[in-house]
Amino acid sequence: MSGRPYYVDWDISHMFKVPQNVLSLHQVKGANIGLIGFSKGGDLCLSMASFLKGITATVLVNSCVANSMTALHYKEMTIPSLGSDLSKCTVTESGFLESLHIWNNPLEKPNHQSLIPLEKAQGPFLFIVGKDDHNWKSEFYAHIASDRLQAHGKDRPQIICYPGAGHCIDPPYFPARIASVHPVLGLPVFYGGEPRAHGRAQVDAWQQIQTFFHKHLDAKISVKPSKL
């Protein structure tokens, strides 16, 4: 077996009843559902919000607005993967891979079909962006989303950018993942981020995410600020 990663095509048709199934859980209070996705999980959440009914609010953490890595299927429709050029992958002095520049520009005509039609979504979006992300051009993608939504008469999404923050903006007080072995590639990858700025971004982003969800899912609940 080669060392190249293997991806299976995503099919979200079977997720059609996910909102209804989630609402039936006794832990769920109210009729609203929020999604949060990070990296590849972000464009999957964008697709779910775009095609499935009942999604009220969606948070994307350093995510792409185009379908990535493999084709995505929904009913009779297929969204192809955004193309990439692995020859543009760079290596740091420490031997870590950087994939920031490998992905094709989704705004260029040959790549338009990979863009996710997020204007079909029912609820608002929050984009969390690490400005030192070395995996995705996250800020660029967030502004593509903003322009697309406004072009279709939708509200501008909330975009929060964190200078010095890298790709892996985890919940607060988790160790900053500046670099590690990628779980899919099996290779050391540099994610970016300055430790202090990244740590502060994790704390603030967590508060912003909770505030966003409470605003759109349950306006009666307030969020206690961090004491960091």
Side-chain angles (χ1 to χ4, degrees), residues 3-83:
R4 297 178 61 187
Y6 174 71
Y7 299 107
V8 179
D9 285 2
W10 289 96
D11 186 342
I12 63 169
S13 298
H14 68 282
M15 296 182 180
F16 186 74
K17 293 184 178 180
V18 166
Q20 291 82 357
N21 292 339
V22 171
L23 286 173
S24 68
L25 299 175
H26 72 274
Q27 297 94 333
V28 177
K29 296 177 175 61
N32 298 322
I33 294 176
L35 298 176
I36 180 169
F38 159 67
S39 195
K40 169 61 188 176
D43 70 63
L44 284 175
C45 283
L46 272 181
S47 296
M48 292 177 67
S50 300
F51 299 121
L52 305 183
K53 295 181 179 179
I55 306 301
T56 308
T58 306
V59 176
L60 295 312
V61 181
N62 286 330
S63 303
C64 187
V65 291
N67 180 54
S68 64
M69 299 185 185
T70 187
L72 181 139
H73 304 281
Y74 179 66
K75 295 184 176 180
E76 302 301 320
M77 182 192 64
T78 296
I79 300 180
S81 172
L82 178 65

Side-chain angles (χ1 to χ4, degrees), residues 203-217:
V203 173
D204 187 74
W206 188 245
Q207 299 296 318
Q208 297 286 355
I209 291 168
Q210 290 183 82
T211 298
F212 176 80
F213 277 141
H214 288 317
K215 176 182 178 181
H216 297 289
L217 303 182

Side-chain angles (χ1 to χ4, degrees), residues 8 24 37 72 76 80 85 89-90 117 137-138 168 171 180 206 224 226:
V8 179
S24 68
L72 181 139
E76 302 301 320
D85 183 352
C89 189
T90 58
K137 296 182 180 180
S138 302
C168 303
S180 71
W206 188 245
K224 295 182 180 179
S226 169

